[in-house]
Amino acid sequence: MRLIDSRRLTGPSLVQDEAGAVIEVELPEDGAAELVGNWRRQAQRLLAAVGWGEERTAVRHYDGGASLAISAPIDGLYAACEINEAAWATALASFGEAQPASYSLPQLQELVDAEANPALLALAEAAADHGLAFLCDDEVASVGLGSGSLAWPVDQLPAPDAVTWGQAHDVPVALVTGTNGKTTTVRMLAAIATEAGIHCGNTSTDGVQINGTTVLSGDYTGGEGARTLLRDTRVDLALVETARGGLLRRGLLVGRADVAYVSNVGTDHLGEYGVIDLDALAQVKLLVARAIRPGGVLLLNADDALLRRHAASAGVPVTWLTLDAEVPLVGAARRSGVAYVQQNGVLGRLQDGRFVALLETIAAPATLGGAARHNVYNALAAAAIADSIGLAASAIGAGLKGFRSDVEQNPGRGNYFEFGSLKAYADFAHNPEGLELVLQMGAVIPAERRLVILGQAGDRDDFSIDRLAEVTWRTRPERIVLKQMPDYLRGRVEGEVVERLRQRLLELGAPSDRIEVVASEIEAVRSALRWGRPGDLLMLLLHAQREEVLNMLQELDAAGWRPGETLPDSPVSPPPGA
C-alpha cells in the first residue's frame, strides 16, 4: 500500500471528466474496497472543509492498484494534490500504516486561499458564455484560439467586461492521436493546408511549426506544445499531435476540436499511469472524442480491432476510414453517411453510396507506389481530416503529391535512400505494430538480401520487447543488427534489452551468425552499410541518434558513395530540416 504518483489534471482524463488531482496507488488484495471507501470519505471531508463541498471523487481500479481522483476548481489544482494526498494518508493511517506528516486542515485552507484566483474563474466562465476556448497555465490565460487568441498574465487578468470580445474567435483544430502515424499524418496535413493557402501550425514529436518554420524543437506533443500553437496569432488552422503521455499526465487540454483522428492502438508504454492493457490504452486514445464540438467529426481506423471494439464508448458518431472498401463498417456509408476508403487504388470519400475520388494512391510519393502501406493509411487520414474541415479536393491532391517522406519534409519517418542499387529505408518505427508495417513494406520491395536494425528503450515491458523480436524474425532477414541505446536505459541495466532481443531471436530459430550486437545506433548503421552490397535492402530503425544517422546518409548520398567503398568518419552536424 503506497502512493506511486500524484499530479494535477487540467482537463478530462481516464478517471474523471473534470479538472482536479489524481494519485496512483498500490492496493492490497484484501481490504481494497474498505481502503478506497475510507479515502473517499476523507477526501469529501477535506473538500467540504476548504469550501469545495460540491467537488467529487472518482476511482479507476486496475490490477494491483487504482487511480484516486478529486475534482477541483482550475485555480486550485496544486492545493487539490495536497488535499488528495492528505486524504490518502489518513485512510492509510486507519489501516495502521505509518505515514509522513501531511498538511493539517488549516494549512490546506491556506494553500487553497493562496492559490485562489477569482479573476481566472470569471474569465473562464465568460469565455464559455461567448462560445470560446479558454486555456490557462501557471503564467498565462487566454481566450479564443490562434489568430483569434487574446492572452494575459494570470496575475494581471482583465475583468470580463473589459475584454474586447469582438476581437476573439476560435480557429479550426484537428487532434491526431494513436500509437503510430501521428507525426507523418500531421505533416501531410500541413502540406495540404499550405496548398490551400491557409496559415497553419502544427505540433509533433519534433517540435512546434508555424507556417513551416520551427519555433520550438523537441517533443511537443503535450500541453506546452499545444498551448504554444493554439495561442499563436499567426495560426488559422491548428494541427495538434496528441500523445498518450500528455493525456494521462494532465488530461485533455483542448476542449474544442473540429475533427479528431485515432490511427490505431498498439502495445506501447503499457504499465504507466495504471494503463496495463490495450483496452485501457484504447480508452486513453479515445479521450480526444470529448473535445469534438457539435457538428465535428471523429475519425477512426476501421482496420483496427480495438478501435472497432471501443468506438461506442466515444459517445459521438464515428466516421470510419479503411484501406478495404468492403469492410462491413463502411456498409452504412454506402447507403447513407460518410466513410473514407481506398477503392481500386484511389483514396476518397464514400458518401451516400457515391465514391468521390481525392487522390490516386500511387500519386502520393510517400506511399512508395503503394508499397508503404503505413503511409497509405497516413495519406488517407490526412485526406479525410482535410476534407472534414472543408479543404478543397485540389489542395488535398496537391499537398499529398508534393509531400515527400524525406529528410527535409519528414525526418526520420520513411526516409528512402539509394546508393547505386543498395537501398536503405530509415524509419522511427519503435513498437511492434509500427515495425510490422515497415517490415511488410520491406518485404514487397525487391531485394537480394535484407537487414534490420533493432533496439528498444528500457521503459517497455518484456512482452513488447519480445514482440519486436517476433515481428522481425517473421520476415527472416539475412542479418539483424541489435543496437545498444545507453541513453535510453530507463530503469534497465545496460545491455539488458539487447540481450533479451537476442535470446528471443535465438529461441525463434534465428541463427546466431545472423545476429550482431553493436554499441550504438550510429555504429549499427555503419555496420549495416559495410555489410550491404548491390541489390540489398537495409531497414534502419532509428531512435537514439536519428540526426547523426540521417546526416551521414545524406552526406553519403551527396558524395555518390557506393557499397564496398570506405565509410567516412561519423558526422556530427544535424541534417537540414531536422
Side-chain angles (χ1 to χ4, degrees):
M1 292 187 290
R2 67 184 180 96
L3 188 151
I4 301 170
D5 183 65
S6 176
R7 61 190 185 277
R8 295 167 295 141
L9 293 173
T10 57
S13 69
L14 196 56
V15 193
Q16 62 185 17
D17 289 333
E18 306 99 337
V22 63
I23 54 178
E24 307 293 341
V25 300
E26 286 183 353
L27 287 179
E29 292 184 8
D30 297 325
E34 183 180 355
L35 183 57
V36 170
N38 198 354
W39 164 79
R40 289 191 110 139
R41 288 189 293 274
Q42 297 301 330
Q44 289 295 169
R45 176 182 67 84
L46 293 175
L47 288 168
V50 300
W52 292 350
E54 295 183 358
E55 302 298 340
R56 292 169 291 281
T57 62
V59 179
R60 177 181 171 270
H61 288 278
Y62 50 87
D63 187 21
S67 302
L68 310 178
I70 60 174
S71 63
I74 60 172
D75 66 337
L77 300 186
Y78 287 101
C81 291
E82 302 297 345
I83 291 170
N84 206 13
E85 292 174 32
W88 172 248
T90 304
L92 278 182
S94 69
F95 272 65
E97 295 282 338
Q99 295 297 307
S102 60
Y103 288 103
S104 66
L105 182 55
Q107 289 172 321
L108 291 173
Q109 185 67 63
E110 288 180 10
L111 294 174
V112 169
D113 294 342
E115 194 178 347
N117 189 341
L120 185 74
L121 300 181
L123 190 62
E125 183 177 356
D129 290 342
H130 284 82
L132 294 172
F134 177 81
L135 300 175
C136 68
D137 51 49
D138 291 347
E139 298 179 353
V140 177
S142 59
V143 299
L145 299 174
S147 58
S149 175
L150 303 175
W152 307 267
V154 292
D155 57 355
Q156 300 176 35
L157 296 175
D161 58 6
V163 175
T164 51
W165 293 103
Q167 295 179 6
H169 60 82
D170 289 344
V171 299
V173 175
L175 304 181
V176 178
T177 192
T179 302
N180 300 111
K182 300 183 293 295
T183 297
T184 298
T185 299
V186 162
R187 288 172 173 165
M188 287 177 167
L189 272 166
I192 293 170
T194 298
E195 289 292 339
I198 295 174
H199 295 292
C200 168
N202 66 274
T203 63
S204 75
T205 52
D206 288 332
V208 179
Q209 283 198 327
I210 308 296
N211 296 322
T213 300
T214 299
V215 297
L216 288 174
S217 295
D219 188 345
Y220 281 96
T221 56
E224 183 180 356
R227 285 189 295 270
T228 298
L229 171 65
L230 294 170
R231 287 173 175 156
D232 195 302
T233 55
R234 294 170 291 179
V235 170
D236 290 321
L237 170 63
L239 310 172
V240 185
E241 180 177 336
T242 306
R244 164 213 58 90
L247 291 170
L248 285 168
R249 281 190 296 272
R250 294 285 181 258
L252 185 64
L253 170 75
V254 185
R256 295 170 181 270
D258 295 78
V259 58
Y261 165 60
V262 186
S263 63
N264 71 323
V265 181
T267 51
D268 205 8
H269 293 288
L270 292 180
E272 297 180 6
Y273 300 108
V275 176
I276 60 175
D277 57 37
L278 287 172
D279 287 310
L281 189 57
Q283 293 166 12
V284 174
K285 308 290 188 187
L286 286 168
L287 282 172
V288 295
R290 303 189 194 181
I292 296 175
R293 64 169 179 76
V297 176
L298 175 63
L299 286 166
L300 299 182
N301 178 2
D303 301 330
D304 186 279
L306 279 158
L307 291 177
R308 295 196 302 270
R309 185 190 311 165
H310 290 277
S313 68
V316 297
V318 172
T319 297
W320 295 101
L321 62 84
T322 175
L323 298 190
D324 180 2
E326 301 304 318
V327 299
L329 279 173
V330 302
R334 292 193 177 281
R335 299 184 298 274
S336 62
V338 177
Y340 291 89
V341 303
Q342 177 181 242
Q343 182 170 290
N344 299 322
V346 178
L347 307 179
R349 179 194 340 117
L350 190 62
Q351 183 171 11
D352 300 332
R354 187 170 64 93
F355 182 74
V356 179
L358 296 172
L359 179 73
E360 281 191 281
T361 301
I362 62 172
T367 70
L368 296 182
R373 187 174 173 85
H374 54 296
N375 273 342
V376 179
Y377 273 109
N378 296 335
L380 178 59
I385 296 168
D387 188 61
S388 296
I389 58 179
L391 301 189
S394 58
I396 294 171
L400 291 175
K401 288 177 182 177
F403 182 85
R404 298 182 181 278
S405 198
D406 55 21
V407 175
E408 284 72 29
Q409 289 186 282
N410 201 23
R413 290 167 172 83
N415 302 159
Y416 185 72
F417 298 86
E418 290 186 349
F419 304 103
S421 62
L422 172 66
K423 298 176 283 289
Y425 188 85
D427 198 272
F428 184 64
H430 60 287
N431 53 60
E433 289 75 17
L435 178 62
E436 186 167 27
L437 287 169
V438 168
L439 293 184
Q440 284 175 354
M441 178 213 66
V444 301
I445 294 177
E448 297 291 330
R449 302 181 303 167
R450 291 175 173 81
L451 174 148
V452 177
I453 290 178
L454 192 61
Q456 185 55 285
D459 57 352
R460 269 57 167 193
D461 59 20
D462 290 347
F463 173 75
S464 297
I465 293 171
D466 288 347
R467 280 205 61 208
L468 286 176
E470 293 158 9
V471 168
T472 299
W473 186 241
R474 201 177 298 154
T475 63
R476 298 297 192 272
E478 279 72 24
R479 192 163 187 80
I480 301 171
V481 182
L482 301 178
K483 58 181 179 179
Q484 305 275 14
M485 297 169 59
D487 292 336
Y488 290 80
L489 297 179
R490 296 176 179 174
R492 291 187 184 259
V493 176
E494 188 167 355
E496 180 183 351
V497 171
V498 162
E499 180 58 20
R500 186 170 190 94
L501 287 167
R502 192 180 74 86
Q503 288 296 332
R504 185 59 184 140
L505 287 166
L506 294 173
E507 291 170 3
L508 293 167
S512 60
D513 60 0
R514 290 199 192 185
I515 304 170
E516 179 186 9
V517 177
V518 298
S520 69
E521 189 165 271
I522 191 78
E523 285 306 316
V525 174
R526 291 174 67 83
S527 176
L529 292 168
R530 286 192 293 264
W531 177 87
R533 63 193 186 200
D536 290 346
L537 173 63
L538 310 179
M539 306 298 290
L540 312 178
L541 285 308
L542 308 180
H543 191 171
Q545 295 176 286
R546 189 188 71 182
E547 290 187 0
E548 295 95 321
V549 169
L550 294 178
N551 192 31
M552 179 175 70
L553 294 174
Q554 281 189 297
E555 291 188 0
L556 291 174
D557 187 35
W561 179 87
R562 294 295 182 264
E565 297 178 359
T566 301
L567 290 171
D569 293 336
S570 299
V572 294
S573 57

